[in-house]
Amino acid sequence: QVQLVESGGGLVQAGGSLRLSCAASGRTVNNYAMAWFRQAPGKEREFVAVISGTGSTHFADSVKGRFTISRDNAKNTVYLQMNSLKPEDTAVYYCATDRIAMLLPKSYDYWGQGTQVTVSS
């Protein structure tokens, strides 16, 4: 059974940084696509970043240049490093996994419970 557990969210001032972690069990992160999505109140869940099984990465335009995605195979964990945070980055951030790196939430079959990120102005 695949389980994803996110951590690292919190409250930060605009311009600050946070690193989110997604610890996986039941699936090896370097063999699958691992993605981050986010959902703000009243909005649809949106793609943030993905790292494929081959290590290629892709980012939403809104976070490009500010966020990075990486993985630690030994810890079977994926990270989302978020720098230069803006109030509009405020959302619940979710980790997801599937065989292929896709941009739509419906493409992913396993999800974590989410972690709240709040950026104050």
Side-chain angles (χ1 to χ4, degrees):
Q1 183 178 0
V2 177
Q3 289 189 325
L4 304 174
V5 179
E6 301 99 332
S7 61
L11 174 64
V12 64
Q13 288 188 333
S17 298
L18 282 175
R19 188 180 77 158
L20 306 183
S21 300
C22 173
S25 60
R27 177 165 289 186
T28 305
V29 298
N30 61 329
N31 288 338
Y32 291 86
M34 302 294 297
W36 288 94
F37 289 81
R38 67 187 181 186
Q39 188 165 17
K43 295 187 176 181
E44 293 186 350
R45 193 167 297 190
E46 65 175 4
F47 168 79
V48 176
V50 64
I51 182 167
S52 73
T54 61
S56 61
T57 60
H58 184 71
F59 298 89
D61 288 343
S62 59
V63 307
K64 206 170 289 184
R66 300 188 298 122
F67 291 11
T68 58
I69 188 170
S70 62
R71 63 188 180 204
D72 184 330
N73 296 335
K75 295 183 178 180
N76 212 35
T77 298
V78 174
Y79 303 99
L80 184 70
Q81 178 66 44
M82 306 185 296
N83 300 327
S84 302
L85 282 162
K86 305 174 181 180
E88 51 264 43
D89 294 318
T90 296
V92 177
Y93 283 70
Y94 297 90
C95 178
T97 181
D98 202 354
R99 295 187 178 277
I100 301 173
M102 304 293 284
L103 306 185
L104 296 177
K106 65 180 181 180
S107 301
Y108 288 82
D109 49 3
Y110 295 103
W111 291 84
Q113 82 289 349
T115 185
Q116 176 71 46
V117 171
T118 303
V119 184
S120 63
S121 56

